[in-house]
Amino acid sequence: MTDNAQQQPPAPTSELPTQYAPAEVEGKLYERWVERGYFAADAKSDKPAYTIVIPPPNVTGSLHLGHAFQHTLMDALTRRKRMQGFEALWLPGMDHAGIATQNKVEQQLAEEGKSRQDLGREAFVERVWQWKEEYGGKILGQMRRLGDGVDWSRERFTMDEGLSQAVQTIFKKLYDDELIYRAERIINWCPRCLTAISDIEVEYQEDDGELVSIKYGEGDETLVVATTRAETMLGDTAVAVHPDDERYKHLVGKRIKLPLTDRTIPVVADTHVDPEFGTGAVKVTPAHDPNDFAIGQRHGLESITVMDERAVITVHGPFQGLDRFEARSAIVGALRSQGRIVAEKRPYVHSVGHCSRCRTTVEPRLSMQWWVKVGPLAQAAGDAVRDGRVAIHPADMSKRYFDWVDNMHDWCISRQLWWGHRIPVWYGPDGEVVCVGPDEEPPSGEGWTQDTDVLDTWFSSGLWPFSTLGWPEQTPDLEKFYSTDVLLTGHDIIFFWVARMMMFGLYAMDGEVPFKTIALTGLVRDERGKKMSKSFGNVVDPLDWMDRYGSDAVRFTLARGANPGTDVPIGEDWVQASQKFANKIWNATRFALMNGATVEGPLPEPSKLSATDRWILSRLNKTVAEVDAFYEDFQFAKLSDSLYHFAWDEVFDWYVELSKTTFMAGGEPAKVSGRVLGEVLDVMLRLLHPVVPFVTESLWTTLTGGESVVVADWPKDSGFRDEAAEREIKTLQQVIVEVRRFRDGQGLQPGQRVPARLTLDGTAFAPHEAAIRQLLRLQPEGEGFSATATLPVAGATVALDLSGTIDVAAERKRLAKDLAAAEKEKAQAHGKLGNEAFLAKAPDQVVEKIRTRLAKADEDIARILAQLEGLPEA
């Protein structure tokens, strides 16, 4: 019926402590798994490969809930595939995180009263390596806490020797193919980090600023322009208007006076200008605005840089040496004194770009940088998804991907840092430019210098799926494990990382995709759906929760909230609920083991099984099939929910409870049910293992005596189904639930025994009488039995003697309320099904759902009326 992975007889039940203590179990189990090599992948194996590469966390980072969330899902995928017989490789590593790491070390130097310039480049880089060895990689130990089943023998770092060779190789290849070039363009500049940053490293937020309208020119030849960055007017080289704007046609081609300077600037006509916005005239500062730069290129305008790398004004005059924000106030004041301020608006809320790492306001700046010509690379990355070689999940996220790759601008890859992959280009004394590959000697001699910039961190991490497997060498790892199977990552880094890997993977690997599926997740938020932020005070350290509730509880909570592409709210009370689930699994399994649950011997034939046994085995196989389907669709929330309800509701709350009388009676039926219960627990624990690995390992090895559930077989659906048994037990559950509900309504104590007469429908319920009486605390009828309440439920009749205990009036009132609700439900369903317009538009599944509701309402009405009829007169 279901496969069984145990190889040895079960260990003694006494091995399980009375309570589950995660802190005493998890660390030891993880180290045992690593020592036994369970997570190590073999490139020589004949098994089919399954590969996931980890999104490399920053070397400066520590485990946050976002990491814990994605790592839980990647671990679940990998553990399941390993159990299914795949050679599963989950490859770990870290990113050197150029700006973030350099900032860390510069802060350390500042505390010593030094700067990187004091050390010089070589000594500073050596200092960063020392910092990395001493402080970096804390997150790797935290990944072990979470239970990450990664192959530690293959751990990589984006600055290690092999990856450095890969970076130099692809740079050289792109350069030779004229896909890398050097040019002066407007870039995003961080005056704090003192480097260029890419568009996707700029975060925009609404800031309070000021909008000032300034009069340019004199007399009849005046124009009014509005700006939020008055300090940049010192670099204006034109005013632009739309060619069709009649207001300014007489000024196009003329030169007007630029305030506060001794310069005149031309008025140019350009279609970029929106005549409906503001005054219809805009100032043009080509060196400090990307749109202005484009206008300047079209009209041959001069580009005047007015700020240095720290955003300090450099032009002559009273503003020289002022910080940009100081200069802004000073310039507005000077213009006001000259009567050139036409209007001022404060505060003026507008979107302002900030460095994603240090939050400094970004300054557009004209600068000589290295660029990747992304056109053909982005085209290939888009085509790979369009033609189905790469699937994006959920599919509706494809639009975001295409919006990016189809409209991608050339990528600025140079950074003015010392920590990172230095650009492999040398400049000669006579203007020579030489790009050097990894196996080539750089030019030497007087006057030859290497470019001082390093590459954007995303350049090296874009090579991650193949560089980590040994490329550019044709290694056994590369042959076995590339292409990778799944890239699981947050939808927020489609632009940062996913598109980069697609472009480089297709380019370097001759059109072979870097991964077959992109599974996009949402972001973890607090229980109210709010973004987690230090400024909001709602950031959670997952290690704190692991300490209090165990890693399994944190993992299960995260997985249970993981709907594809959707943000995940999480609160501590949900982790507490998951801890209760882990404890429930522990306590119920322990109880089952003490009451005969076993995996010894073959599973009895169906003819020897009770209806209860056949029901749970049928439900077990349906759950296996359901969980498999959810895994294939990356529906982690649904598979977790399915396992939760199967384990808690069906196995523990119903099967174990219904089987207690059988176990107490002993004999052959008890042995049969013990074997069935052992089978159910064996399969259930294996199904749960990828999400909650620690508690399942402890329980499964005790139950089966097997080596480890990590290397056990993944359960298979045997195809066994027993719909008749499922209907029978469902009806039995209805009887028990309804009588319990009646008892609760009468205020009876849970343990209070009540005389009862059971009239069961033929043979369907007869075998269950002992279980019904046990679960409902119903004692046999004795002398003087008087049926004061009769409950007809699902073909059975339960007559109760509640003499002196029942509140007939209260029960009639409760039933009347239930009857009214059922009749309302019936009327609503009837109304919709009688509406021809609704039926014409509604999908078939919606109509069928309403028909089901109507049938259920009819059943409820009949049941409640029968119960009312069975009550004695008040």
Side-chain angles (χ1 to χ4, degrees), residues 692-709:
V692 283
F694 296 108
V695 68
T696 51
E697 172 80 343
S698 299
L699 295 173
W700 188 86
T701 52
T702 301
L703 170 69
T704 68
E707 178 186 345
S708 171
V709 71

Side-chain angles (χ1 to χ4, degrees), residues 257 289 312 387 414 418 430 489 511 564 616 694 727 803 819 834:
K257 181 80 163 68
D289 182 274
V312 172
D387 63 25
S414 46
W418 287 355
D430 298 318
T489 190
I616 197 61
F694 296 108
R727 287 193 297 271
S803 304
L819 181 62

Side-chain angles (χ1 to χ4, degrees), residues 123 136 146 236 351 397 529 632 634 675 758:
L146 188 64
D236 286 357
S351 182
M397 285 283 179
E632 295 305 314
F634 303 99
R675 180 65 189 86
L758 305 185

